[in-house]
Amino acid sequence: ETGVTQSPTHLIKTRGQQVTLRCSSQSGHNTVSWYQQALGQGPQFIFQYYREEENGRGNFPPRFSGLQFPNYSSELNVNALELDDSALYLCASSLWTSGRSSYNEQFFGPGTRLTVL
Amino acid sequence: AQTVTQSQPEMSVQEAETVTLSCTYDTSENNYYLFWYKQPPSRQMILVIRQEAYKQQNATENRFSVNFQKAAKSFSLKISDSQLGDTAMYFCAIYNNDMRFGAGTRLTVKP
């Protein structure tokens, strides 16, 4: 069983640039969630993708967007980078099999550390 | 909106002793899940223990147990027989449609 992987491990960008982060979900999982974890803080929910569609979103502006592919891997895109976007970006995959309010365990990847200069 | 508060930014404990990490939360939902996650320096979030809100019995996983007080909206984590490998950030989280985390408690286990 392959765990959740993320690439790249680290990334440095400058303000105004665009970035794409990638996540491969655990084998058999169909749902991917993305989180932003600023230094010294807990993760904040960005959005979730299920069957290639956005299925819930946190309090993040539209310049944060995503994709999910038929193999359930996912991308997080951030446009017009700001200094405050510097953070650890975590993705988590799960197998969603029933009602939305039920919980299916999320397995986290190791994260991508993004630095915006 | 759901919120999670961890009032202890840092804690330390001697190896083999017991430590309790505090967590309070707020939600208007009646059906939700609560979690404690561990994040070591490797950054990977690891699920420590979970509690379904509809279950009155406190969850236990080996050396880890919780004290779930639904009316008080309190969810503390007790680590017994602390080990050096328990040193990490610990996050309390609540799930109902999406996951909300607290700010974390940095736990150091001293030899």
Side-chain angles (χ1 to χ4, degrees):
Chain A
E1 184 177 86
T2 306
V4 179
T5 60
Q6 292 185 243
S7 63
T9 305
H10 297 89
L11 198 54
I12 299 175
K13 291 285 189 178
T14 56
R15 195 169 46 182
Q17 286 189 312
Q18 178 266 343
V19 69
T20 297
L21 310 182
R22 295 177 175 83
C23 172
S24 292
S25 59
Q26 184 164 310
S27 177
H29 286 182
N30 57 15
T31 303
V32 173
S33 301
W34 285 93
Y35 297 86
Q36 180 195 66
Q37 186 177 14
L39 194 61
Q41 297 182 25
Q44 289 194 55
F45 174 68
I46 302 175
F47 45 53
Q48 181 182 80
Y49 275 82
Y50 171 63
R51 290 188 174 179
E52 302 179 53
E53 291 192 2
E54 188 177 291
N55 184 41
R57 189 179 183 94
N59 189 28
F60 280 81
R63 59 189 186 84
F64 285 78
S65 62
L67 286 172
Q68 187 180 33
F69 300 99
N71 67 354
Y72 303 119
S73 65
S74 178
E75 288 182 354
L76 164 65
N77 299 290
V78 187
N79 293 322
L81 283 167
E82 301 177 359
L83 298 180
D84 284 349
D85 295 334
S86 295
L88 179 68
Y89 288 84
L90 298 168
C91 81
S93 74
S94 59
L95 176 61
W96 196 352
T97 58
S98 56
R100 190 164 185 265
S101 63
S102 66
Y103 178 77
N104 302 291
E105 183 174 347
Q106 296 188 11
F107 292 82
F108 284 82
T112 293
R113 171 76 64 191
L114 172 65
T115 302
V116 182
L117 302 177
Chain B
Q2 301 180 126
T3 60
V4 177
T5 302
Q6 294 179 250
S7 59
Q8 304 152 315
E10 294 189 28
M11 293 193 72
S12 64
V13 62
Q14 291 296 133
E15 194 176 7
E17 294 189 345
T18 296
V19 64
T20 299
L21 308 184
S22 301
C23 172
T24 58
Y25 62 93
D26 192 25
T27 181
S28 58
E29 303 292 335
N30 195 47
N31 185 26
Y32 52 89
Y33 297 78
L34 295 165
F35 307 88
W36 279 97
Y37 279 92
K38 170 185 178 181
Q39 188 178 40
S42 66
R43 309 182 319 200
Q44 191 127 15
M45 289 285 232
I46 302 166
L47 178 64
V48 174
I49 198 166
R50 94 177 200 188
Q51 174 84 41
E52 289 90 339
Y54 64 87
K55 290 187 177 179
Q56 293 185 348
Q57 187 172 6
N58 289 325
T60 299
E61 287 288 341
N62 301 314
R63 299 183 295 108
F64 300 88
S65 61
V66 298
N67 183 4
F68 174 45
Q69 302 289 329
K70 191 172 183 179
K73 295 182 179 176
S74 171
F75 184 61
S76 60
L77 174 69
K78 185 172 81 171
I79 305 175
S80 304
D81 186 25
S82 296
Q83 300 176 0
L84 296 178
D86 295 334
T87 293
M89 284 291 293
Y90 286 82
F91 293 97
C92 178
I94 185 171
Y95 179 88
N96 180 277
N97 296 326
D98 61 59
M99 188 86 86
R100 301 295 171 108
F101 288 83
T105 296
R106 183 178 302 279
L107 176 67
T108 301
V109 180
K110 298 179 178 178

